[in-house]
């Protein structure tokens, strides 16, 4: 009962705050995150009433399966952006931008934090600076995709944004594994080539292979069903199965083999959308089914944000330097690479701003860094601080950038009620507008 009550309170809190966010012209994602903070352990949860709010971080993490499933469907949706006809137009440019801006961000953050190390060596070690530089490369696909969907963003910047975000995560995983290996080698004095180079490359390659295999199996299985409801059920079943398989880990001759659930699900969506004639229709149906799931995901993400990171002022200082350096690296990296690859002027100007949100992938890297002991704890604290800021500010900046680029129109977020009226037969539509006119007249009379 308590679990169902917590989920219903979370869902309602997110939805109600989204109405306030709309009045303030803020993305719904920001409202969901704020709702999570309000029902989380640092606000409503302090009352200690189970079900009314999340009473502890352990309570929030007990719903991690919802976050795993939501991220899987988000990655599956992003895979839909890798259609071959579109990749022929922007594939080369997206690859250049995706790789260059990730590497550029890591370099800029490394330089800034290593310089800060010499100013406060007792607080920030060089190893921690190197690991944080790698984590900086990661971008959050979830917040970006939600802003794009909410405002029905469409245009050159949006077309480039989603493939770049997807590539960014693949590049980020490799950069992190190499940087983490280098930092551990500096700390211990020994270099392990297997963990530095082989394991991250295997993770990326095997994730893509597993996703491709599941995509082909999905297409074969989908052909046995013809009703929309059954095909939607098959879609959901395959995404859930793919997420489950991506959690498997193996040790083969001392080599740790793991998968990235984001890359696996992206590849599932990519292969399926390129070989199935009905993929767009199925993707659209899956999007409607996952809407409440995504709201819960962002509310839970907000509840997970660690407010205690503000307790140490020196940590806050390191976090601020990290945020400034990462923002500069993302923007300059996207700007330079978009310019070099001959992109549209709006892509050159605004793409970098849309790459600022950071969450799930970065947090996953930070949790991995905890293996480093005290250094890892510090890396996790700085990452949590940055995620808190980026998750609250990033979606709003993404919306502003896409609006200025012309990808979001003033009426981009449309009402389902209005869409329903537009689809009515003419005689019903006239009756509806007559009723609305009568209601308006009644309101005026009541005011007088």
């Amino acid at each position: 009962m308590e679990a169902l009550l917590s989920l219903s309170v979370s869902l309602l809190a997110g939805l109600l705050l989204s109405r306030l966010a709309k009045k303030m012209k803020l993305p719904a994602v920001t409202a969901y995150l704020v709702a999570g903070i309000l029902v989380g352990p640092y606000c409503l949860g302090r009352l200690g009433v189970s079900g009314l709010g999340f009473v502890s971080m352990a309570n929030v993490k007990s719903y991690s399966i919802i976050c795993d499933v939501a991220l899987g469907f988000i990655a599956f949706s992003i895979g839909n952006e890798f259609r071959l006809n579109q990749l022929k137009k922007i594939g080369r440019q997206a690859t250049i931008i995706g790789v260059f801006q990730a590497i550029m961000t890591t370099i800029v953050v490394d330089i800034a934090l290593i310089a800060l190390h010499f100013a406060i060596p007792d607080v920030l070690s060089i190893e921690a600076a190197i690991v944080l530089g790698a984590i900086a490369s990661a971008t959050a696909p979830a917040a970006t995709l939600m802003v794009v969907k909410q405002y029905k963003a469409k245009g050159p910047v949006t077309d480039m944004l989603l493939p770049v975000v997807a590539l960014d995560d693949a590049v980020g995983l490799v950069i992190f594994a190499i940087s983490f290996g280098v930092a551990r080698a500096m700390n211990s004095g020994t270099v392990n080539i297997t963990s530095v180079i082989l394991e991250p490359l295997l993770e990326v390659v095997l994730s893509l292979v597993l996703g491709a295999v599941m995509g082909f199996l999905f297409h074969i299985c989908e052909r046995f069903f013809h009703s929309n409801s059954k095909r939607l059920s098959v879609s959901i079943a395959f995404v859930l199965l793919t997420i489950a398989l991506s959690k498997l880990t193996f040790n083969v001759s001392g080599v740790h083999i793991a998968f990235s659930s984001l890359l696996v699900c992206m590849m599932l969506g990519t292969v399926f959308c390129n070989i199935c004639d009905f993929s767009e229709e199925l993707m659209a149906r899956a999007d409607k089914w996952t809407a409440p799931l995504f709201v819960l995901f962002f509310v839970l993400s907000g509840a997970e944000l660690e407010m205690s990171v503000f307790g140490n002022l020196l940590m806050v200082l390191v976090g601020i330097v990290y945020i400034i350096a990462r923002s500069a690296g993302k923007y300059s990296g996207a700007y330079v690479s978009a310019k070099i690859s001959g992109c549209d002027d709006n892509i050159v100007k605004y793409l970098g701003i849309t790459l600022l949100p950071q969450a799930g992938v970065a947090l996953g890297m930070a949790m991995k860094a905890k293996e480093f002991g005290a250094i890892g704890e510090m890396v996790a604290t700085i990452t949590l601080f940055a995620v808190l800021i980026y998750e609250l500010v990033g979606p709003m900046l993404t919306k502003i950038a896409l609006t200025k680029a012309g990808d979001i129109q003033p009426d981009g977020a449309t009402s389902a009620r209005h869409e329903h009226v537009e689809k009515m037969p003419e005689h019903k539509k006239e009756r509806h507008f007559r009723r609305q006119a009568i209601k308006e007249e009644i309101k005026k009379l009541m005011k007088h």
Side-chain angles (χ1 to χ4, degrees), residues 309-323:
V309 295
F310 292 106
N312 187 327
L313 290 178
L314 284 174
M315 287 290 184
V316 171
L317 172 64
V318 177
I320 290 169
V321 172
Y322 171 88
I323 288 168

Side-chain angles (χ1 to χ4, degrees), residues 73 76-81 83 149 218 232 235 268-270 272-273 278-290:
F73 276 100
F76 179 64
S77 295
I78 290 176
N80 192 37
E81 303 302 319
R83 292 183 179 273
K149 285 182 180 295
F218 180 14
L232 174 60
S235 304
L268 169 74
T270 300
F272 180 68
C273 78
F278 306 100
S279 62
E280 285 195 50
E281 178 197 335
L282 279 174
M283 292 279 190
R285 289 182 179 277
D287 282 346
K288 290 178 181 177
W289 181 85
T290 54

Side-chain angles (χ1 to χ4, degrees), residues 47-82:
L47 297 175
V49 182
S50 296
L52 187 59
F54 299 106
V55 295
S56 65
M57 279 297 170
N59 187 204
V60 180
K61 291 184 188 301
S62 66
Y63 297 94
S64 61
I65 188 170
I66 293 174
C67 297
D68 291 340
V69 171
L71 279 172
F73 276 100
I74 286 164
F76 179 64
S77 295
I78 290 176
N80 192 37
E81 303 302 319
F82 285 88

Side-chain angles (χ1 to χ4, degrees), residues 219-359:
H219 173 56
I220 292 168
C221 188
E222 173 269 329
R223 292 165 68 183
F224 290 102
F225 301 93
H226 302 287
S227 75
N228 289 327
S229 59
K230 286 193 173 73
R231 288 165 69 206
L232 174 60
S233 299
V234 171
S235 304
I236 294 166
F238 260 88
V239 176
L240 293 176
L241 177 60
T242 304
I243 295 166
L245 292 176
S246 70
K247 298 292 180 184
L248 296 173
T249 58
F250 307 95
N251 271 299
V252 180
S253 302
V255 178
H256 180 69
I257 295 174
F259 303 93
S260 163
S261 59
L262 279 174
L263 289 181
V264 175
C265 291
M266 279 180 199
M267 197 61 179
L268 169 74
T270 300
V271 170
F272 180 68
C273 78
N274 280 290
I275 61 176
C276 177
D277 296 333
F278 306 100
S279 62
E280 285 195 50
E281 178 197 335
L282 279 174
M283 292 279 190
R285 289 182 179 277
D287 282 346
K288 290 178 181 177
W289 181 85
T290 54
L293 180 66
F294 291 166
V295 175
L296 280 174
F297 166 71
F298 284 106
V299 173
L300 289 167
S301 298
E304 272 189 307
L305 293 176
E306 187 62 70
M307 310 303 287
S308 62
V309 295
F310 292 106
N312 187 327
L313 290 178
L314 284 174
M315 287 290 184
V316 171
L317 172 64
V318 177
I320 290 169
V321 172
Y322 171 88
I323 288 168
I324 293 170
R326 181 179 178 273
S327 302
K330 283 287 177 187
Y331 186 80
S332 59
Y335 185 95
V336 171
S337 54
K339 196 88 172 169
I340 290 170
S341 56
C343 291
D344 181 270
D345 284 344
N346 280 338
I347 295 174
V348 173
K349 278 190 222 173
Y350 300 113
L351 182 65
I353 299 170
T354 65
L355 298 174
L356 294 183
Q358 190 174 42

Side-chain angles (χ1 to χ4, degrees), residues 125-139:
S125 66
I126 290 182
E127 292 89 346
I130 290 171
V131 175
L132 283 166
I135 290 174
S137 65
T139 298

